[in-house]
Amino acid sequence: MYCDITVQTAAFDLGAEELALRAHAGDAGALVAFQGMVRAHDEATPLAALFLEHYPGVTEAEIRRIAEQAAARWPVSACRVIHRVGALAPGEPIVLVLIAAGHRAGAFAAAEYLMDYLKTQAPFWKREDFVDGSSRWVEAKASDDAACGRWHD
Amino acid sequence: MYCDITVQTAAFDLGAEELALRAHAGDAGALVAFQGMVRAHDEATPLAALFLEHYPGVTEAEIRRIAEQAAARWPVSACRVIHRVGALAPGEPIVLVLIAAGHRAGAFAAAEYLMDYLKTQAPFWKREDFVDGSSRWVEAKASDDAACGRWHD
Amino acid sequence: MSITLLYFGVLKDTLGCSTETLAWDGGTTATLLDVLRGRGEEWALALAPGKVFRLVVNQQIVRGDAAIPDGAEVGILPPVTGG
Amino acid sequence: MSITLLYFGVLKDTLGCSTETLAWDGGTTATLLDVLRGRGEEWALALAPGKVFRLVVNQQIVRGDAAIPDGAEVGILPPVTGG
């Protein structure tokens, strides 16, 4: 399986990544993309920015391990993950997962697996900076743990 | 819900469609794209081209009905479907489903629902034209019926 | 009085026809299928009750027996294979 | 002999520290946590057994008690909140 993992501050381009991945995807019939955007209104006070940090080297290696787990479970031809760090304004894309696979069921399952795992296990930390000047580090969500847990049955 | 359905012979651009859809998606935190490509090697004889036809008007209305079912089931902000018809070479994108939603679970579920439904219920007909000059109309697949069936429980 | 028939997918090849105008004295989708099946063995086989996927009258998918008004467009759809 | 400690996320703010060099006479991750918890109530609370998510020694996530060699980089990771 072709697998390319990047953690970066820069924005990414879904269309360009899709074209690049298809060049590595052989006769794949299905491509699933997930893109996450920063939400402004999850809390009572609107968000000014989301600040993310990661553990360079460790984070990339963990994501690769997770992607290889997904490829062992479903027939995946190629995989691309980009996760942004630093300060991100509401509406900005923060994470991209692209999966190319022979058929749609495997592509959907692998993309969802990777996203569930990224949200619960990959070493990222988020701080919410609000428009009123307050800020706080996000705590781990129980719902994300639950979403990930269903793969471990 | 914003919903835009097109059946066309022309190619489409996933990146451009993603940007356009996000303009209609409000504070959506999740975007899922499915793109299907023509596979060359599903049969013993390689495919020269896939020829698709649809029922103009009826096909678009059916897809819209399906998209509205998905939006009734999961919180979907915006939806874009492009399905190509005419002669398509192996590797060419044939269908695009884009779903923007508040959170990832609904976006994945709605995209998968729409794809399962498109494969089994929308009025499209495929003819396979092989490199040896033979050609045949594709018969409905039992596996696609089964994939769709799980939503009707 | 007449109606327009549209055939799709494999039916075009099987029946050797993609569009036709048919004289119509009124009736339902059942009437129409009887007329078409009466054209010969190929038509009877291709449009046998277990084989016809759907009929569409004036762009509305119909289930069961439905009236076909004068001037209607009737689509005859084999099982779909899209996506 | 020394090791480098890296703190992430909320721990940076709670402990007022993002990176430090610590004199190190050898030992394990348990030894290190004892040293850090001994720095005062805030450290003891932030690094209480139920709170620490993971320790990473030389870029390898460790589970249970693990040796920390001289010159090691040790990451101290609170629960992750990424994606």
Side-chain angles (χ1 to χ4, degrees):
Chain A
M1 175 192 62
Y2 172 84
C3 179
D4 189 8
I5 312 289
T6 310
V7 178
Q8 63 187 37
T9 53
F12 53 78
D13 178 338
L14 170 57
E17 296 299 334
E18 176 257 328
L19 285 176
L21 193 71
R22 276 209 284 139
H24 294 280
D27 194 30
L31 186 138
V32 169
F34 178 89
Q35 182 174 272
M37 282 81 66
V38 177
R39 284 168 60 92
H41 297 288
D42 269 356
E43 309 295 332
T45 310
L47 199 68
L50 198 62
F51 177 84
L52 277 100
E53 66 168 25
H54 76 305
Y55 192 158
V58 173
T59 302
E60 291 86 342
E62 282 293 289
I63 299 174
R64 180 173 298 276
R65 184 175 65 80
I66 294 160
E68 282 163 4
Q69 280 182 10
R73 198 152 175 166
W74 297 281
V76 170
S77 317
C79 152
R80 175 80 170 116
V81 177
I82 303 177
H83 206 300
R84 295 178 68 190
V85 290
L88 299 170
E92 278 195 74
I94 164 172
V95 58
L96 176 68
V97 168
L98 274 175
I99 302 282
H103 298 279
R104 71 186 187 282
F108 273 117
E112 206 166 356
Y113 176 82
L114 213 44
M115 276 309 304
D116 288 348
Y117 221 88
L118 275 172
K119 293 283 260 185
T120 53
Q121 302 288 334
F124 289 102
W125 298 276
K126 274 182 190 167
R127 193 185 65 218
E128 292 173 331
D129 298 337
F130 296 103
V131 293
D132 64 5
S134 68
S135 107
R136 66 151 190 215
W137 288 94
V138 175
E139 293 188 21
K141 280 186 204 165
S143 66
D144 283 334
D145 286 332
C148 198
R150 67 186 154 102
W151 299 103
H152 296 285
D153 298 343
Chain B
M1 176 191 63
Y2 172 84
C3 180
D4 188 8
I5 311 288
T6 309
V7 178
Q8 63 187 37
T9 53
F12 52 78
D13 179 338
L14 170 56
E17 296 299 334
E18 176 256 329
L19 285 175
L21 193 71
R22 277 209 283 141
H24 295 280
D27 194 30
L31 186 138
V32 169
F34 178 89
Q35 182 174 271
M37 282 80 67
V38 176
R39 285 168 59 91
H41 297 288
D42 268 357
E43 308 297 332
T45 310
L47 200 68
L50 198 62
F51 177 83
L52 277 99
E53 67 168 25
H54 77 305
Y55 191 157
V58 173
T59 302
E60 291 86 342
E62 282 293 290
I63 299 174
R64 181 173 298 276
R65 184 175 66 80
I66 294 160
E68 282 163 4
Q69 279 182 9
R73 196 150 177 166
W74 298 282
V76 170
S77 318
C79 151
R80 174 80 170 115
V81 177
I82 303 176
H83 206 300
R84 295 178 68 192
V85 290
L88 299 170
E92 278 196 73
I94 164 172
V95 57
L96 177 68
V97 167
L98 274 174
I99 302 283
H103 297 279
R104 71 185 187 283
F108 274 117
E112 207 166 353
Y113 176 82
L114 213 44
M115 276 309 305
D116 288 348
Y117 221 87
L118 276 172
K119 294 282 263 185
T120 55
Q121 302 289 333
F124 289 102
W125 298 275
K126 273 182 190 167
R127 193 186 64 218
E128 292 173 330
D129 298 337
F130 296 103
V131 292
D132 65 4
S134 67
S135 109
R136 65 149 191 218
W137 287 94
V138 175
E139 292 188 21
K141 280 186 204 167
S143 66
D144 283 334
D145 286 332
C148 198
R150 66 186 156 102
W151 299 104
H152 296 285
D153 298 342
Chain C
M1 306 216 296
S2 69
I3 58 178
T4 303
L5 304 186
L6 308 178
Y7 300 90
F8 293 90
V10 67
L11 285 180
K12 282 184 184 174
D13 289 355
T14 313
L15 305 178
C17 181
S18 63
T19 308
E20 66 172 311
T21 303
L22 186 75
W24 188 245
D25 291 332
T28 66
T29 48
T31 321
L32 174 63
L33 286 173
D34 281 344
V35 169
L36 297 178
R37 287 169 188 151
R39 286 177 171 178
E41 197 179 354
E42 279 198 341
W43 289 77
L45 274 175
L47 303 177
K51 288 213 161 176
V52 173
F53 177 66
R54 267 176 184 171
L55 290 181
V56 174
V57 177
N58 288 333
Q59 305 253 324
Q60 298 294 313
I61 294 170
V62 299
R63 291 162 214 279
D65 202 19
I68 300 179
D70 181 35
E73 172 194 287
V74 181
I76 303 178
L77 285 57
V80 303
T81 55
Chain D
M1 305 217 295
S2 68
I3 58 178
T4 303
L5 304 186
L6 308 178
Y7 300 90
F8 293 90
V10 68
L11 285 180
K12 281 185 185 173
D13 289 355
T14 312
L15 305 178
C17 182
S18 63
T19 308
E20 67 172 312
T21 302
L22 186 75
W24 188 245
D25 293 330
T28 67
T29 49
T31 320
L32 174 63
L33 287 172
D34 281 345
V35 169
L36 298 177
R37 285 169 188 151
R39 286 178 171 177
E41 197 179 353
E42 279 199 343
W43 289 76
L45 273 175
L47 302 177
K51 288 213 162 177
V52 173
F53 177 66
R54 268 176 183 171
L55 290 181
V56 174
V57 177
N58 288 332
Q59 304 252 323
Q60 297 294 313
I61 295 171
V62 299
R63 292 162 212 281
D65 201 18
I68 301 179
D70 180 36
E73 172 194 288
V74 180
I76 302 178
L77 285 56
V80 302
T81 54

